[in-house]
Amino acid sequence: MRVLVVASPLTGHVLPLVPIATALQDAGHEVLVATTGDAMAACPPELTPTDVTPGLRLMPFFLRFASRHPRLTREEMAGRAGARAAGLLWAPVNERMTGGLLDLADRFRPDLVVHEPLAAVAAEVAARRGVPAVLVDALLVDTPELFRAAATAYRPGGLPTPTEILSTVPPSLIGGPRGRPMRFVGTTPARPFDEEYTRPGSRPRVLVSRSTADDPRRDRLMSTVVAAAAGADPDVVLVRPDRWVARRALPPNVRTTDWLPFSAVLPAAAGIIHHGGAGTVLTALAAGVPQLVVRGAGDRRVNADLVAARGAGLATDLPGLSTALLERLVRDPALTAVAREVAAEIVGMPHPSELVPVLTDLAAGVAD
């Protein structure tokens, strides 16, 4: 079976597809990942990442969206715009990817297409090839609604709905199952890192993470955490801090480090403070580690509030990030208990390798 895996051009968009793509490849199927931009470097080379839109830069698309939809942009930056903004924002990106992806599909001739919700062009490829499309749901927001918004903005005439949805989101977090469950498996690029962080320290350790998306502006999350950490008890580790924070004098309990694979280092941590990306949320949940999630743009407000509502962490707007919240993150046993409860829920979901026969039968059914 030939499987075409399609991701939008960001690291956080391709990584959720890697576990099922790897499981398919390990089972002997031919897998090819089609993407572009930053996602190319994040995708494991053994999955044959193929750039379908060489030279694509996202910033011009985002600036054009902001100029055409100023009110919606403000709502999106506040995390209150819903799926419509994401659909409009990513539709031109899908348009740019279309030609290269269709050409690749004509050469590769996939039997199955696997994609994430904002890669609406993948549904068009599957429809043209007459093969099933499988949507990987690794977001806490309503992923089917997000796909519909992306598909409608990209092709107003409509696109077929996915044949199957594989959901890595623990049902207890969102009020019930949203597709066929699939265990979340943390995936990070293979890079050198300081293995000291895989072992617990003498004091509680809190990791601090920001988005993997490039942003030339100052990162206010990191600087706010530094202010809250002064005089606090936990050791605070800033992961990939921006250059402004990295250059300043830091409190004795705060230090910086380069990239870390969170799935490997979070089990040794007492907590994590982060920007609210779905990948970081799920990685912390899988590790059973409480998290302090800062509400932000896009889906990050929803993510923060869902984590807090489940009791697996805390949510705050950036100005409310305080020493008291930092201390509570590592001292409140209820947060740790619920985080571990969700981790057990995730372990109980089928591993991606267990779903390979389901996808094989899906493709065979169309072929028959």
Side-chain angles (χ1 to χ4, degrees):
M1 179 173 69
R2 292 181 298 275
V3 183
L4 181 62
V5 179
V6 185
S8 301
L10 284 176
T11 298
H13 291 214
V14 72
L15 289 181
L17 302 174
V18 169
I20 188 62
T22 301
L24 286 161
Q25 187 176 73
D26 289 347
H29 300 291
E30 187 177 356
V31 176
L32 188 154
V33 175
T35 187
T36 187
D38 293 348
M40 285 293 297
C43 183
E46 58 268 22
L47 293 176
T48 321
T50 303
D51 195 339
V52 295
T53 318
L56 180 114
R57 294 171 55 247
L58 287 177
M59 189 55 68
F61 291 100
F62 296 163
L63 293 175
R64 191 176 306 123
F65 172 84
S67 66
R68 292 177 178 176
H69 307 281
R71 180 176 177 179
L72 199 56
T73 298
R74 290 192 295 271
E75 293 175 354
E76 176 72 358
M77 293 305 296
R80 302 183 187 280
R84 178 171 173 264
L88 291 172
L89 184 60
W90 286 94
V93 179
N94 278 279
E95 287 284 0
R96 280 288 303 277
M97 294 176 65
T98 299
L101 187 58
L102 289 174
D103 289 345
L104 177 63
D106 287 342
R107 298 193 304 272
F108 185 60
R109 299 172 58 209
D111 303 299
L112 183 72
V113 175
V114 177
H115 65 97
E116 47 92 9
L118 290 174
V121 60
E124 182 170 47
V125 169
R128 291 197 186 192
R129 300 295 313 177
V131 301
V134 175
L135 175 64
V136 174
D137 167 24
L139 300 174
L140 278 62
V141 295
D142 188 332
T143 306
E145 180 188 4
L146 186 63
F147 168 75
R148 287 192 296 271
T152 300
Y154 167 63
R155 289 288 182 260
L159 288 171
T161 57
T163 312
E164 180 68 271
I165 297 176
L166 304 180
S167 179
T168 65
V169 182
S172 71
L173 207 67
I174 54 175
R178 199 164 56 194
R180 186 184 294 270
M182 180 173 72
R183 187 185 310 168
F184 174 81
V185 177
T187 305
T188 54
R191 300 171 184 164
F193 71 99
D194 187 344
E195 296 192 8
E196 170 196 354
Y197 294 107
T198 63
R199 301 180 292 273
S202 58
R203 297 194 304 175
R205 179 188 301 140
V206 174
L207 304 178
V208 185
S209 175
R210 61 193 181 101
S211 175
T212 55
D214 287 334
D215 191 333
R217 298 172 298 178
R218 289 177 183 263
D219 189 283
R220 294 178 56 229
L221 186 154
M222 293 277 182
S223 59
T224 304
V225 170
V226 170
D233 180 57
D235 286 327
V236 175
V237 180
L238 309 178
V239 183
R240 299 182 305 104
D242 66 51
R243 62 183 183 273
W244 290 281
V245 172
R247 291 172 181 169
R248 64 185 284 186
L250 299 173
N253 63 326
V254 179
R255 55 177 162 163
T256 67
T257 187
D258 203 347
W259 178 86
L260 290 177
F262 285 134
S263 56
V265 301
L266 271 173
I272 181 170
I273 301 172
H274 64 93
H275 65 295
T280 310
V281 167
L282 290 171
T283 302
L285 290 172
V289 174
Q291 49 195 301
L292 173 52
V293 190
V294 178
R295 300 183 184 97
D299 62 343
R300 298 171 188 175
R301 175 174 293 276
V302 172
N303 297 345
D305 290 341
L306 285 173
V307 167
R310 182 64 178 87
L314 306 169
T316 183
D317 294 317
L318 188 61
L321 204 165
S322 63
T323 304
L325 278 183
L326 174 57
E327 294 280 5
R328 184 184 169 194
L329 177 67
V330 299
R331 302 296 181 197
D332 188 338
L335 298 177
T336 301
V338 175
R340 290 176 178 171
E341 183 180 295
V342 178
E345 181 184 1
I346 291 173
V347 169
M349 298 166 73
H351 189 274
S353 60
E354 298 177 64
L355 297 178
V356 169
V358 173
L359 301 188
T360 304
D361 291 345
L362 195 65
V366 171
D368 292 343

